[in-house]
Amino acid sequence: MLPHDTRDPSYFFSLRWKLLFVLLSAAVLLGIASAYYFQQQLLAQFAQVRKQTQDNYTEQLNGLISLDIARVRQLAATLPSFALQNHSLMEYADPQVYRAFDDFWSSVQIDMGVDVAKLYSSEGQVLATWGEMAHEQSVMPVAAQPKYWQTLFRQETPAGLISCTQQCSIIAFAPILQAGKVAGVFSVQATLADSVLSFQKTAKADVVMLFKNKDARMPIATLWGMHMVAASNPNQSIPLLTRAARQLEFRQLSTQPARYVEGEHQYEISLVKLAAPHWVDGLHLLVVEDIAPNLAIAQQNIRQIILFTLFATLLLLALMYGMLSLPLQRLRRIATVMPLLGQSEFETLRVNIPLYTHPLRDEVDVLDQSALDLSYQLESLQREVLDKSISLRNLFNEVLTEKEFISQLLNQAEVIIATLYADGRIASINQFGLKLAEKHIGDLIYNDLSHKDWLALQATLGEVLQGQRDHYAHKSILIAAQTRHTISWIHTRLQDQRKGETLLLTVGMDITEQVKSKEAIHQLAHYDVLTNLPNRRLLIDRLKQALINSSESGHRGALLFIDIDHFKSLNDTLGHQLGDLILQEVAKRLTVCLPQGATVSHIGSDEFIVILEQLSPLLISSAVEAEDMASKLQQALNQAIPLNGQAYQITVSISISLFNNHDQTAEALLIQVDIAMHEAKRHGPNSICFYHPHMQESLTAHVTLERELYQAVINHQFVLYYQLQVDSSNHAVGAEALIRWQHPQRWLLTPLDFIPLAEETGLIVAIGQWVLEAACAQLNTWQQSPATQHLSLAVNVNAQQFLQANFVTLLAEFIQHNGINPQLLKLELTESMLVDQLDETIDTMHALQSMGIQFSLDDFGTGYSSLQYLKRLPINQLKIDKSFVRDIADNVSDQVIVRTIIAMAQTLNLN
């Protein structure tokens, strides 16, 4: 029994008819789409077939033309042999040669399809003509076919081409050889129309040959400005093309075939492209074919496929509808009884859904079973709801208990948790907040802030209340029980559903210890641990700010670099612990002496940097102020430092660099005071030195010269000059080698310009090696001439070079390689070389002396001048220093010294 009908009173449209309408619509759309698809496929196949056919036509025409050209070229090569086979000993220009070919010309013309034959001399003169006016005397237009004519004489092989005038012909040229040379040329001409006729027989399509020529003697153009020179079916194709030319433009044919409809016929006109070897400017081949029968077959296939598709679609629709009719009836019955579930009439629903037992179950059977199962489940759920109601009451009691637990948890949490009104008054606060902040409900939680800060904070909190911000976080100082606490606050919007108002949920965390830790980290990162002064990082930050302040105020500033003289020796002598105490005392004195606003920094070891600001805008005045401050600091630091019951005295060197107007970087200023400190150290302890750009230039010049000296060694930029040495009779006895640097820009440089730098960088060894090698080579040159073979050569040797482990071996190789007398080589040593490593020096000198090499002691009288050295060293010669010889004519003391040296040398048997 069905319950009361509670369905919607609107018109009921059965699902069966809806499904039928949908299937019919889908079938129609599918049929149309399928028909359209197959139609496009067949048309595409038809177009592909036509494309293949046109390609075949092009290939056939080009093949036929190639065969005709090969045939004519073969005729041109073979026909002269028949005419001359009985006259091979005749001269090529003999008239009998022409008469011999006249005997069989008519048969050749008829049987072989030859129109014209010509015989040329090697200069291009026509000797005989067949098929035209006999024996026409003309010269072949070689300029028109230069490549063919040149090919004949260069390769001695036949050549052919296509030529079009009033008609298109194939012309072939073949050389005639006599006695191994080209004696003349034989040409054969045949019409191209034979290829057209051959194509029409094989392809069953008409071919029309058109040619466009500006020659005024040509017939009047009839087709697209061109005249017809050949056609396979002229009676039909020419009138057809004439009518088609009124509707079609020729440039359409150059891109793709065109179709011309006339009555029941549909003609396809395509342009055949000749292959590159046969191409003739102005020649065009048109293929005309009636494709109406082929097109009719394709359209008939399309109609059959469309009818078949529509029939199959309708048949499929009928089958689907028949299969779905019964299930739809069952679905309608289920839809009718399903509302009984909502009315709790479960038993009535089970009566109206009969279950069928059959082996092939479907979705409707599953739906029937599901409806029955659902009725049992809903019936069971209805009973469970009653049980759940009782459980919910019990759960509510548990929630109340949990609420009390959460309240206790909030009160015991060590963070401030409060709700605030818009004016900052406390609406609620937990126990930790009451204890830490000493504030109660109704108090202002931010009464420690100034009025200005409170107004700014109140405006921001208003944005959070209005929803313009999701949250807001900030920090503030909270003073409670005479203790300062740093609190990190975060505020969010809270909607009180019970009272219908919006509050601020505020959470505050005490971060006092974290702030103290950050401050300690900042102290370690920016301050020196030993002196508690700013370190290099903080110094650079403050120096950059000082540069900005100078630019804004116009006042100059100064950077003072303070370095304790000989601190390393003091530290090594007294110990590092006492050295640290001295550094701490220096830091204290600097801090006391400096004016307010100045910065003093300890940047490492015994180095301190001072930044002075607000000096005079004038350069001189600011320099005086900076120097006065440097002197004041020196005086303070020079005073004795009492440590451990003893007084220690120190001196400091100070370099100064002025700055203004932010025209320099902090790094550049530090470099400047460092350069000035090097200059101050040169002046001795307790010096004050200002930075000057010349110091930078001097340092730059030094570095540049060092780099250029390296290149000079690599590129061999040195040259030797030789200063003559004479005896008392003014006879040349030898020379001294003097090195010069042939600098690319500075011309010749003397040893004073680069030898000290070479000694400093160690390049003196390589330079000295080159000098010795060049000197040995020069002695070898002098030995070749009687006038110079007796001359000796003196070479200065540096201490670094002389004490090299391989010096003796290397010099022996130079002497042996150049084949010189070693007794003519003299090495000059200075007295300063004899101070260090004397024993090693003496051993090296003895080894060289055993080879025959002589030694000279240079600059004698200025060094140690120890007679002990003269007694031990194997010296052959003394060279008196120039300081004693320069004023020898006027200075009595110099005269006495020189006489003494000479007497001593004579006594020691030295030169």
Side-chain angles (χ1 to χ4, degrees):
M1 178 177 178
L2 292 175
H4 178 69
D5 191 1
T6 58
R7 293 175 298 174
D8 186 15
S10 60
Y11 181 76
F12 180 77
F13 188 52
S14 174
L15 183 61
R16 178 189 303 177
W17 295 107
K18 290 180 181 179
L19 182 61
L20 180 62
F21 176 75
V22 171
L23 291 177
L24 181 61
S25 301
V28 172
L29 292 176
L30 179 62
I32 294 174
S34 300
Y36 178 77
Y37 172 76
F38 288 119
Q39 179 184 10
Q40 294 300 317
Q41 289 295 315
L42 289 175
L43 291 177
Q45 291 177 6
F46 180 76
Q48 183 66 26
V49 171
R50 293 307 308 162
K51 177 66 170 60
Q52 184 64 38
T53 302
Q54 292 155 13
D55 293 341
N56 293 338
Y57 287 166
T58 300
E59 185 176 354
Q60 290 179 19
L61 271 174
N62 280 285
L64 290 173
I65 292 173
S66 297
L67 290 175
D68 283 348
I69 291 176
R71 177 179 63 83
V72 175
R73 189 166 56 233
Q74 187 175 8
L75 288 175
T78 57
L79 286 179
S81 62
F82 291 106
L84 301 176
Q85 60 184 350
N86 296 323
H87 305 282
S88 60
L89 300 178
M90 288 185 180
E91 289 293 333
Y92 180 66
D94 194 320
Q96 294 184 16
V97 176
Y98 316 149
R99 289 193 294 272
F101 193 74
D102 289 340
D103 296 339
F104 58 89
W105 163 248
S106 58
S107 61
V108 169
Q109 190 176 24
I110 295 173
D111 297 338
M112 298 183 181
V114 177
D115 296 334
V116 179
K118 290 186 180 182
L119 188 64
Y120 296 90
S121 66
S122 59
E123 292 80 11
Q125 182 71 30
V126 177
L127 301 179
T129 303
W130 294 271
E132 290 182 354
M133 185 179 294
H135 306 292
E136 179 182 2
Q137 297 298 323
S138 62
V139 179
M140 176 184 179
V142 179
Q145 296 89 15
K147 64 178 182 179
Y148 297 98
W149 193 261
Q150 294 173 4
T151 303
L152 295 174
F153 290 91
R154 183 174 63 254
Q155 301 180 358
E156 298 181 356
T157 57
L161 74 157
I162 298 176
S163 177
C164 293
T165 53
Q166 294 184 0
Q167 64 178 2
C168 290
S169 302
I170 301 172
I171 304 176
F173 302 92
I176 299 177
L177 302 177
Q178 283 189 345
K181 296 183 179 179
V182 178
V185 176
F186 188 79
S187 71
V188 175
Q189 178 177 339
T191 179
L192 193 60
D194 294 341
S195 301
V196 173
L197 296 176
S198 299
F199 174 79
Q200 196 274 339
K201 293 177 183 178
T202 58
K204 305 302 180 182
D206 293 331
V207 180
V208 178
M209 187 180 302
L210 304 179
F211 181 71
K212 183 176 183 179
N213 196 322
K214 297 181 180 180
D215 192 347
R217 296 174 297 174
M218 297 296 294
I220 299 175
T222 58
L223 294 176
W224 294 291
M226 296 174 284
H227 71 278
M228 187 272 296
V229 295
S232 59
N233 189 5
N235 295 332
Q236 181 179 352
S237 58
I238 297 303
L240 175 65
L241 287 177
T242 303
R243 293 189 296 271
R246 300 190 186 104
Q247 300 180 13
L248 302 175
E249 295 184 3
F250 189 75
R251 66 171 179 269
Q252 296 178 246
L253 303 178
S254 61
T255 56
Q256 61 181 4
R259 292 183 182 179
Y260 172 67
V261 180
E262 191 175 72
E264 297 180 354
H265 300 278
Q266 187 170 147
Y267 299 94
E268 187 175 72
I269 305 171
S270 59
L271 179 64
V272 177
K273 296 182 179 179
L274 291 179
H278 316 319
W279 173 257
V280 178
D281 189 19
L283 178 62
H284 302 283
L285 297 178
L286 297 180
V287 176
V288 183
E289 184 180 7
D290 186 4
I291 62 171
N294 297 334
L295 192 59
I297 294 173
Q299 292 175 348
Q300 178 64 27
N301 292 337
I302 292 173
R303 286 193 294 270
Q304 291 176 357
I305 289 176
I306 291 175
L307 291 176
F308 175 77
T309 302
L310 292 177
F311 175 76
T313 303
L314 293 176
L315 179 61
L316 180 62
L317 175 64
L319 290 175
M320 291 180 63
Y321 180 76
M323 293 175 61
L324 295 174
S325 179
L326 180 59
L328 288 175
Q329 285 182 345
R330 297 172 62 189
L331 283 174
R332 182 176 182 181
R333 183 188 67 247
I334 294 174
T336 304
V337 300
M338 284 297 288
L340 295 174
L341 293 175
Q343 301 171 6
S344 300
E345 298 183 11
F346 306 113
E347 190 62 33
T348 305
L349 179 138
R350 296 176 193 133
V351 172
N352 287 277
I353 299 180
L355 288 178
Y356 300 95
T357 303
H358 52 83
L360 298 178
R361 291 170 57 83
D362 54 22
E363 288 80 0
V364 179
D365 295 321
V366 173
L367 185 59
D368 289 341
Q369 185 65 49
S370 298
L372 294 175
D373 295 341
L374 184 59
S375 67
Y376 289 110
Q377 292 178 3
L378 289 177
E379 189 176 11
S380 175
L381 286 175
Q382 195 174 43
R383 289 193 297 267
E384 290 179 4
V385 167
L386 297 176
D387 297 335
K388 290 295 181 181
S389 298
I390 299 172
S391 299
L392 284 175
R393 292 191 186 94
N394 297 331
L395 181 61
F396 178 74
N397 295 329
E398 293 178 2
V399 169
L400 290 177
T401 304
E402 291 291 336
K403 181 179 178 182
E404 294 177 357
F405 172 77
I406 292 174
S407 298
Q408 294 177 1
L409 181 64
L410 291 176
N411 289 327
Q412 293 178 2
E414 293 190 355
V415 293
I416 301 174
I417 304 176
T419 56
L420 306 179
Y421 295 111
D423 57 1
R425 290 180 298 106
I426 299 174
S428 64
I429 190 170
N430 64 343
Q431 292 296 328
F432 181 81
L434 291 172
K435 180 180 178 181
L436 180 66
E438 297 182 348
K439 291 178 172 46
H440 302 84
I441 296 175
D443 294 341
L444 288 173
I445 197 167
Y446 293 114
N447 57 359
D448 297 326
L449 296 177
S450 65
H451 180 69
K452 180 180 178 181
D453 293 340
W454 163 242
L455 291 178
L457 177 61
Q458 191 177 29
T460 305
L461 296 180
E463 295 177 359
V464 176
L465 282 171
Q466 296 171 8
Q468 299 176 4
R469 285 174 177 254
D470 293 334
H471 63 276
Y472 177 65
H474 68 100
K475 299 176 183 177
S476 70
I477 301 299
L478 180 65
I479 301 175
Q482 300 179 353
T483 304
R484 294 172 61 89
H485 299 275
T486 303
I487 307 298
S488 175
W489 301 98
I490 185 168
H491 308 275
T492 55
R493 189 169 179 264
L494 178 65
Q495 189 71 36
D496 190 345
Q497 301 292 342
R498 181 171 55 86
K499 296 182 178 180
E501 60 181 347
T502 304
L503 301 175
L504 282 171
L505 175 61
T506 298
V507 178
M509 180 178 293
D510 188 359
I511 59 172
T512 305
E513 295 302 323
Q514 298 178 17
V515 171
K516 290 180 179 179
S517 299
K518 289 183 178 179
E519 290 176 352
I521 294 172
H522 181 271
Q523 180 73 16
L524 292 174
H526 294 86
Y527 290 87
D528 178 51
V529 177
L530 179 63
T531 61
N532 203 30
L533 294 177
N535 59 12
R536 189 181 189 89
R537 178 187 297 178
L538 185 56
L539 169 71
I540 293 177
D541 291 341
R542 293 190 179 180
L543 183 54
K544 290 179 179 179
Q545 186 60 44
L547 289 170
I548 296 173
N549 296 339
S550 175
S551 176
E552 295 175 351
S553 65
H555 288 272
R556 292 180 180 271
L559 197 66
L560 276 63
F561 184 11
I562 303 171
D563 183 84
I564 302 176
D565 297 325
H566 310 299
F567 181 75
K568 183 178 183 303
S569 301
L570 185 66
N571 215 9
D572 294 340
T573 303
L574 303 178
H576 291 278
Q577 184 176 4
L578 193 60
D580 291 344
L581 294 176
I582 292 175
L583 291 176
Q584 290 175 348
E585 181 63 25
V586 170
K588 292 177 183 178
R589 295 186 182 185
L590 290 176
T591 305
V592 171
C593 294
L594 289 175
Q596 186 178 2
T599 297
V600 59
S601 169
H602 182 215
I603 62 173
S605 186
D606 60 333
E607 298 173 345
F608 295 85
I609 295 289
V610 173
I611 303 175
L612 298 179
E613 296 189 63
Q614 297 297 318
L615 300 181
S616 173
L618 301 178
L619 178 61
I620 301 299
S621 301
S622 61
V624 172
E625 293 177 12
E627 187 175 17
D628 290 343
M629 179 53 65
S631 300
K632 180 180 178 181
L633 295 178
Q634 268 189 345
Q635 293 174 5
L637 297 177
N638 289 343
Q639 296 179 10
I641 302 176
L643 293 175
N644 298 333
Q646 295 186 10
Y648 298 94
Q649 192 80 28
I650 65 170
T651 61
V652 294
S653 297
I654 302 178
S655 60
I656 306 172
S657 179
L658 300 176
F659 62 85
N660 73 315
N661 203 21
H662 203 191
D663 54 354
Q664 294 167 308
T665 63
E667 291 76 9
L669 282 172
L670 291 174
I671 293 174
Q672 290 177 2
V673 293
D674 188 61
I675 294 172
M677 178 56 70
H678 286 290
E679 188 68 20
K681 291 291 185 181
R682 289 179 54 192
H683 295 164
N686 220 33
S687 299
I688 297 177
C689 181
F690 278 87
Y691 168 78
H692 193 275
H694 291 320
M695 298 178 184
Q696 183 77 40
E697 295 173 3
S698 176
L699 180 61
T700 303
H702 181 83
V703 173
T704 302
L705 186 63
E706 181 180 346
R707 183 178 64 253
E708 292 175 346
L709 187 59
Y710 275 102
Q711 293 298 321
V713 173
I714 296 173
N715 300 328
H716 304 293
Q717 296 177 357
F718 301 102
V719 63
L720 286 183
Y721 285 82
Y722 303 98
Q723 181 177 355
L724 195 62
Q725 295 175 340
V726 296
D727 58 11
S728 58
S729 301
N730 207 27
H731 293 151
V733 295
E736 180 180 359
L738 304 177
I739 188 171
R740 297 292 185 269
W741 178 6
Q742 198 164 6
H743 195 280
Q745 289 83 31
R746 301 168 60 185
W747 193 232
L748 288 179
L749 299 182
T750 65
L752 293 177
D753 295 325
F754 63 89
I755 289 299
L757 179 61
E759 293 176 344
E760 179 183 339
T761 58
L763 292 174
I764 190 65
V765 177
I767 296 174
Q769 178 179 332
W770 176 86
V771 170
L772 284 175
E773 188 174 5
C776 293
Q778 184 62 48
L779 282 174
N780 177 271
T781 303
W782 286 349
Q783 287 181 170
Q784 310 305 318
S785 173
T788 57
Q789 62 184 359
H790 67 285
L791 295 178
S792 62
L793 184 57
V795 179
N796 288 286
V797 180
N798 181 270
Q800 298 181 38
Q801 178 188 6
F802 192 77
L803 294 175
Q804 289 287 312
N806 63 339
F807 179 74
V808 177
T809 304
L810 192 64
L811 186 54
E813 292 178 357
F814 292 160
I815 294 173
Q816 183 179 3
H817 176 74
N818 290 279
I820 64 173
N821 182 5
Q823 294 181 353
L824 297 177
L825 181 62
K826 187 184 301 180
L827 302 182
E828 293 191 359
L829 310 177
T830 60
E831 292 186 54
S832 59
M833 294 174 54
L834 308 178
V835 179
D836 299 326
Q837 301 181 3
L838 179 61
D839 293 335
E840 290 85 348
T841 302
I842 293 175
D843 292 341
T844 302
M845 292 178 68
H846 281 298
L848 294 174
Q849 188 183 43
S850 65
M851 296 167 50
I853 297 174
Q854 301 185 49
F855 293 96
S856 175
L857 189 58
D858 199 7
D859 300 334
F860 184 77
T862 59
Y864 294 91
S865 302
S866 173
L867 298 180
Q868 181 68 21
Y869 293 157
L870 295 179
K871 184 177 72 173
R872 295 182 59 189
L873 296 174
I875 297 175
N876 306 99
Q877 186 182 71
L878 292 180
K879 293 184 68 176
I880 303 173
D881 187 72
K882 62 183 178 180
S883 61
F884 302 118
V885 182
R886 184 186 303 111
D887 301 325
I888 194 170
D890 303 320
N891 194 307
V892 177
S893 299
D894 289 345
Q895 295 175 6
V896 173
I897 292 174
V898 171
R899 287 193 185 99
T900 303
I901 294 174
I902 293 174
M904 180 185 61
Q906 291 174 349
T907 303
L908 295 175
N909 197 23
L910 299 176
N911 293 329

